[in-house]
Every structure is written in structure tokens, then in C-alpha cells.
Amino acid sequence: MANSDFTDDHDGATRRNGRTAEGPGHFTDASFRRLVDKSPDGIVVHRDGRVVYANQTVVRWVGAQYADQVLGQPLTEFIHSDSIESVLTRMAALRHDGDVTRASEGVLLRLDGTTLDVEAVTTLGAWEGTPAYHVTLRDLTFVRTAQRSLRYQATLVDRVDVAIIATTVTGLVTKWNRAAEIVYQRPASSALAMPIGDAVGATFDPAAVVEGGGTVLSTHRTADGQPVIVRVSVSALDSGYVLVCTDETKSHGVERLLRRIVNSLDEGILVVDGSGRVTSVNPAAERILGVSAAALVAGDGRAVHGIPMYDVSRRPIDPQDHPVAQTLRTGRPFHGSIIGIDRPDGRRTWLRVSCRPLDSDERHGTAILVSFSDITAEQVARERLTYRATHD
């Protein structure tokens, strides 16, 4: 109801500038009357405390089948008792023809005793030549449902354990949930309206992340300058961006520790994916095999599967039959297999090899862990003893 045609009186009512507000009592055109009758908003006119007009929407809202069930009835029959006093107070502020109340919320009472939340605007006008109140009602059911949904979503956002941050298209923070406060040690009160880069303590361009696939692993900094390793997923919205930030500092710390441990082993370690490609190599594996990590992880796995291999009888092993290939094919682990290899420098080296699936619940097609140690000296000594035992 608020527009430039209305001004506020000191008593809280609103008056049309120099004009009388026309309502259903001033209908002069039948098509306009039909329009009001079928309006999606409820239209009611009451005079001397009784309803003298109700459009089809109001008749439906109160649960009546016919307008006659509403017309002539006391207005208070259709207002919840908790709302009657406030309705009468607003009506009392209307003193002149054309005065209008501000929009206010109330509760409509249906014939079956149920209720409907509405927003009402009342105008003092005329009906059949005598003063009457014209009321326009708006159903708030959808608004209430949307508000409840938004409150629920806001509660979820604040209760999750990942940082959820929303920004404008220009990168100003508009949402900073409880988890973001914990991860970045920065309260929402100071983060809101801050440029996202300043808020997370790092140069950060949400648009670039979206263009690059939507996810990035970054090092951010807390409000006191401490580094945090964060996996950030970014989604673009019409109003800006939403960032979901998972703190992976601890897991990456454990990962780095495990990597240092694996790299310090004297035993060679390879991780081979389901297609046979080497994805991870430790320094001992490079040293034992005589092949660089770069060569081992390059291509389709030929650097490993192309190495000539031999059984303990020095017979060549078919590339399809060595332990790595068999575990990849069957998912069956091998422990302590002894094989010989010819290194690129021409030296034959003997290895004790174990292969096992990394995912024990899904053995076939999963990546495998290959571990091996150099037992050349042991194997050569064993062969010499065997030779001596069988020769004079």
C-alpha cells in the first residue's frame, strides 16, 4: 500500500494526497467489480461492525461455500481473539475519508476454527454512501513457510563443521558461519563486509576457482597469522559466490609425516593404480630399481612392467605372470616372492617382493601397494652354497 500517493498523519494513519480512496463502495464499472471479486488478495468491506462485502478469495479463505455465509456476520467472527484489539486500535486511527493503515499482520479465523496468517491494510472509505472500512488481505502462508525454511537452513549452516562463506560478486563477505569463525579464528562481526582475501588471509579469486573446476587446495591464514591448509569448493550464484572450506591441516600434517616415514625406509615402495600405472615412488625404490621416479610414473607403466624379471631358477617371467601383474588381475596378495630383475645399468638384482591391494574390501581393480627389498647378496650366497653342495 505504501507509494507516493500516501502521506503519514501524526496519528499513524495514512491519507491519500488530496483524494478520497475508492474501494468496492465506489464501483462504477462492472468489469472493475469483477476484477475485485476475483482478486488473489482478499477484499472485505465492513460497516457498523458487520461484513457487507467479501470477494471470492475471502469466502474461500474462511472456509465458506457461499458469500451469504459471510455477509451480515460480525467482523469479529472472522478475527482471532488475539488480533481483535490490535485491529480495533488501527481502525480507531482512521479519521478521514481516504486514511489508510500501514500493513500489519493478523490472524484470520475460519469457520471450522482453524486460522490463517494474513497481512492487512485498512482504508476508511464509503459503502453505499455511508462510511465503511475497506480491508485488503494477503495470505502469509507462503511467506511463513519460506521464513521457516530459511531459518532451518541458517541453523544447518551454523551447525555444520565446515566453514561456509558467502560473498558478493565483487568478493565482499556476506555470510560467515560458526565453523568459519573457528577455522579462521575470526568472528563474523569482523569478517562480514570484508574482502574475501583479507578474511581468509590469502589472495583468493572465487571466479578463477570456478573457472578452474570449482575446487582448490589452498593455504590460508587465521586472524593471528597461523597457516591453515584448506580445501575450498566454490559455487557461483546470481548474487555472488558460496565457499565451502574444509580444514585439512591435521590430515595433511599426518600425510606429510607418513610421507617422510615412507621416504626414509630402506625398502622400496610403489603404489600402482588399477590400470597398472605407478602413481607413487619412494627414494629406496629408485635406488633399488635404478630408475628415476619421473621415469617410473611416466606413461602407461612400461617403465615397471617392461623390466626383465626372472624366477629363482633364473628363467624369464612372462610380464603377465609377475606378482604385480597377478595382484592387479586377481586382487590376490603375494608375500615374499623372490624375483630377479635386470637394471638399466646391466646389473642383475634380486628382490623379495610383496603385493597387496590398498582397499581390502574391494580387491579387484583397486590400487596396490608393492614393497620390495634388495636381497642380492643373500641370493648370490644361497646360490653359491647350492652350487658347492651339488659339485665336487
Side-chain angles (χ1 to χ4, degrees):
M1 295 298 297
N3 59 41
S4 58
D5 286 338
F6 297 99
T7 57
D8 290 339
D9 284 341
H10 293 297
D11 55 14
T14 304
R15 183 194 237 328
R16 291 182 185 270
N17 294 333
R19 300 202 301 275
T20 298
E22 293 190 351
H26 293 280
F27 290 144
T28 56
D29 187 279
S31 62
F32 185 61
R33 173 63 179 261
R34 286 194 298 272
L35 178 64
V36 173
D37 280 342
K38 297 180 182 299
S39 169
D41 288 333
I43 308 286
V44 175
V45 179
H46 59 93
R47 180 180 60 187
D48 299 328
R50 293 185 177 273
V51 177
V52 294
Y53 171 80
N55 72 347
Q56 294 177 19
T57 299
V58 170
V59 171
R60 185 177 69 256
W61 283 355
V62 299
Q65 292 183 312
Y66 311 104
D68 289 345
Q69 295 174 269
V70 178
L71 300 181
Q73 299 299 316
L75 175 69
T76 52
E77 290 292 322
F78 305 102
I79 303 174
H80 191 276
S81 57
D82 292 343
S83 297
I84 290 176
E85 184 177 350
S86 60
V87 168
L88 295 177
T89 299
R90 287 192 295 274
M91 286 170 51
L94 305 179
R95 301 175 183 176
H96 307 285
D97 188 44
D99 285 356
V100 182
T101 64
R102 294 185 178 89
S104 58
E105 296 182 7
V107 181
L108 193 68
L109 190 61
R110 294 189 175 106
L111 294 178
D112 63 3
T114 59
T115 59
L116 178 70
D117 290 334
V118 295
E119 182 181 73
V121 174
T122 302
T123 304
L124 179 59
W127 179 266
E128 296 179 347
T130 58
Y133 296 95
H134 306 172
V135 185
T136 301
L137 304 169
R138 184 167 68 99
D139 183 358
L140 293 180
T141 303
F142 175 78
V143 174
R144 290 283 185 268
T145 301
Q147 288 173 340
R148 284 194 294 270
S149 176
L150 288 173
R151 284 195 296 269
Y152 176 70
Q153 291 176 29
T155 300
L156 286 182
V157 166
D158 280 333
R159 288 185 178 178
V160 295
D161 57 2
V162 294
I164 297 180
I165 304 168
T167 75
T168 64
V169 291
T170 59
L172 296 181
V173 174
T174 58
K175 175 65 181 177
W176 188 267
N177 74 341
R178 175 61 181 156
E181 292 184 314
I182 295 170
V183 170
Y184 294 101
Q185 294 296 296
R186 185 186 299 280
S189 57
S190 68
L192 294 176
M194 181 181 283
I196 183 61
D198 294 344
V200 301
T203 301
F204 193 83
D205 183 354
V209 176
V210 171
E211 291 177 5
T215 303
V216 66
L217 190 67
S218 301
T219 299
H220 293 174
R221 292 192 176 274
T222 63
D224 60 0
Q226 295 300 310
V228 234
I229 299 173
V230 183
R231 186 171 300 279
V232 187
S233 297
V234 183
S235 298
L237 303 176
D238 291 340
S239 58
Y241 299 93
V242 172
L243 287 63
V244 178
C245 309
T246 306
D247 185 356
E248 298 194 355
T249 306
K250 290 182 180 178
S251 62
H252 273 264
V254 172
E255 207 172 275
R256 286 195 295 268
L257 176 60
L258 290 175
R259 188 176 295 114
R260 286 198 296 269
I261 292 172
V262 169
N263 287 344
S264 68
L265 295 174
D266 290 331
E267 190 176 31
I269 300 292
L270 300 178
V271 176
V272 181
D273 68 17
S275 66
R277 292 182 62 253
V278 175
T279 60
S280 184
V281 183
N282 77 337
E286 295 182 279
R287 173 176 50 78
I288 294 170
L289 298 177
V291 182
S292 70
L296 288 168
V297 300
D300 57 3
R302 282 191 294 268
V304 171
H305 303 299
I307 296 175
M309 299 185 187
Y310 306 88
D311 62 21
V312 291
S313 299
R314 294 183 175 263
R315 289 190 298 265
I317 300 175
D318 188 288
Q320 296 300 314
D321 292 333
H322 62 69
V324 176
Q326 289 194 53
T327 299
L328 282 172
R329 186 170 61 252
T330 66
R332 189 172 71 253
F334 284 81
H335 300 287
S337 299
I338 296 176
I339 63 172
I341 65 165
D342 285 341
R343 290 167 41 108
D345 60 9
R347 282 197 300 142
R348 178 161 297 180
T349 300
W350 291 93
L351 310 176
R352 180 175 285 109
V353 181
S354 294
C355 304
R356 63 185 66 86
L358 279 176
D359 187 348
S360 58
D361 294 329
E362 186 181 347
R363 293 186 175 186
H364 185 64
T366 188
I368 65 171
L369 178 70
V370 183
S371 58
F372 49 92
S373 54
D374 185 346
I375 60 165
T376 303
E378 177 186 330
Q379 181 65 15
V380 169
R382 184 182 297 112
E383 288 179 345
R384 285 175 180 170
L385 288 173
T386 301
Y387 180 83
R388 288 175 182 172
T390 54
H391 293 76
D392 291 332

